[in-house]
Amino acid sequence: MRSPARQRLGYVALLCAAFLVAVTSGLTSFSTQIDNDAYDWMFRAYVRGGGEPRSILLTVDEATLLELGGQRRLRAFLAEALESLVAARPRVVAIDIALVDAEDETLDGRLEAALAQLPAYVLPSDEMPDGRTWQEPLARFRRHAKAVGHVHALPDPLDSVNRGLPLEVIVGRDRRWALALETFRLYSSAATVTESPEDIEVAGTVILAGRAEGRPMLIRYRPEGVPRISVLELKQKPELAERFRDRAVFVGVVAQNMARDRLMTPTSGSSQMPGVEIHAHAFETLAGGAFFGKAQMTAVVLACAVIVLGAGVSFWYLNGVRAYASAALLLAAAHAAPHLLFRGGVVFPVFAPLAAAWLSVAGAGVWKHFVVRRQLEKTEDDRARYQQAIHFVTHEMRTPLTAIQGSSEIMSRYNLSDEKRKQIAQTIHQESRRLGRMIQTFLDVERLTAGQMELKREPFEAGGLIDQCVERVRHLAERKRIVVEAAPPPAVTLTGDHELMEYALYNLLTNAIKYSGEDTRVEVRTQYGDGVCRITVTDQGIGMDASEVKQIFRKFYRTKSAVAAGIVGTGIGLSIVEQIVTAHEGRMEVESTPGKGSRFTMVLPARAAAGAAPDRMVVSQ
Ligand code: ADP
């Protein structure tokens, strides 16, 4: 039986393992992908309309390119579109078209003039392939620009889905705010972006985005999208220009063959969203002022620890249905928490807390199951031992008790001669001593099985033990005219508990007599060799078959033929014999043939008695 302290330690170790596995597995790319998928799922489930959009897209789509002269004429129709917007006075125009090379002078000039008329516009810039400088827009276009913003909207390296963008990108030593952020600043008429290492602030809107992490911002994609009007549509219906009034206008190419910056987003399904639209959504996120914040790693680790602790406490202090009910509650809470947090704007990973919940609940549950089972087994064991005790008392002890009762009755009833009286008194004395010995043996075996008793370790001669037992069974054997023959044993010394060994051998002998017919023989043989003593009791009795031999040492087991023959027994004796022999580091061997007889052998560690030749096979016949 494990001690409670070790049990507690094992339990704590199990919970710690569950915690560590949950936290470390939460860092793998597999779990990150699951967290990403859960994020997208929750996004689609919980993010609802963000009110009236503050932005609008002015797009160059396939139809525009087809009708207005293709990519070559881009700057021309772009200039024309911007000119038509001037009257509507959009608050700010963000251009997501790289204007880095000079093209046709007249066209560039027209575009420059159109830009100059806008109340405010932002130009894009991207990192040069060498990664050391910014690719700047042409100076003529830049001249009137209120800002230049970066257009880094990168896909997640794991699944190529875009969920956010860095509000700040530093190339070389030059820092650029995101195009969307600059657009928002101009839209809000803020002069600057105020920054601290943890957050940035634009016109009273504070965005928690740490400088150390590259100031990331999760985009709250509007499920209903951002309104869009193409350059062609604007040309065909100039009255559409009114829709751009007071809005932030994002201008970009969305035609499949030209827009290389298309990405998947949580709301875009299997299709991809053009970069300009992503920037418009980022702007809407900033303008809406409701940001998603990613939970800190320490919070995740803490949550895992709380969950594991919860499971541990539930299964340690509660039992049965209560333990399982609280575990179910814990699991439900672990499943629900990321959803509730998401609705409150906090993005919490699902994998690590769920792994912590399931692992700790399963681990603690299984642990509890085994502890309960062990307790049940112990109770069963105690019950069986109790039954055994009752059987022992009722059957085994009845014989000496009857003898004592009978003898004392004779003494009190009849007028007996001194000789007879002395004889009966002696019988009473002998039987009561036997009873006393039996009780002692019984208690010893009980304590031995319960592990409460140290076996006595005293040396004694095998010969003496055999003689005593044979002597004790002789009168039993005589009643059935059975000859008990014990060959003189070799000089062997056994070590152990003499009383218990006597009980064991006596049991084998009484069984041999009990399960044999009249006029048969019972032989006791002793062999010694290689430090092992074999004491064999052979009878010519009813025997048993091989399958019965296997079960003979089970408590309360009795063979069919023994029951059929009507021989009284409890099926306890042999189980005690085996326990005694095992406690002496020995073993039992049984050979038997139905109807022919049985041979029971106690194989015990021994040494040759002083004077005898050591380690030589001595057979006594
Ligand atoms: P009991 O004799 O009280 O039934 P034991 O544990 O001593 O209990 O023996 C268990 C069973 O083993 C007996 O009931 C009997 O069926 C069988 N058995 C034991 N010894 C012998 C034997 N020498 N010959 C045949 N069967 C035996």
Side-chain angles (χ1 to χ4, degrees), residues 400-411:
L401 256 183
T402 317
I404 293 167
Q405 276 169 354
S407 304
S408 54
E409 207 176 308
I410 291 171
M411 273 177 96

Side-chain angles (χ1 to χ4, degrees), residues 354-375:
L354 284 190
W358 281 103
L359 285 176
S360 58
V361 163
V366 168
W367 179 88
K368 181 81 175 193
H369 175 79
F370 281 111
V371 164
V372 169
R373 227 177 70 174
R374 256 209 308 267
Q375 271 165 0

Side-chain angles (χ1 to χ4, degrees), residues 345-420:
V346 178
V347 179
F348 207 84
V350 294
F351 191 92
L354 284 190
W358 281 103
L359 285 176
S360 58
V361 163
V366 168
W367 179 88
K368 181 81 175 193
H369 175 79
F370 281 111
V371 164
V372 169
R373 227 177 70 174
R374 256 209 308 267
Q375 271 165 0
L376 265 179
E377 276 167 10
K378 197 176 168 299
T379 319
E380 274 295 303
D381 236 41
D382 292 347
R383 218 164 56 94
R385 289 232 313 279
Y386 176 73
Q387 270 181 355
Q388 177 182 336
I390 298 293
H391 277 276
F392 191 81
V393 170
T394 50
H395 291 276
E396 304 274 313
M397 294 187 187
R398 214 167 42 191
T399 326
L401 256 183
T402 317
I404 293 167
Q405 276 169 354
S407 304
S408 54
E409 207 176 308
I410 291 171
M411 273 177 96
S412 59
R413 263 203 206 168
Y414 304 103
N415 216 350
L416 301 169
S417 63
D418 276 357
E419 177 70 14
K420 197 70 187 163

Side-chain angles (χ1 to χ4, degrees), residues 507 511-512 514-515 539 542-544 552 557-559 562 569-575 598 600:
N507 235 276
N511 273 354
K514 201 157 82 169
Y515 297 107
D539 64 48
I542 57 173
M544 65 195 94
I552 202 83
Y557 180 80
R558 304 205 65 216
T559 61
T570 58
I572 297 168
L574 279 182
S575 74
S598 313
F600 284 79

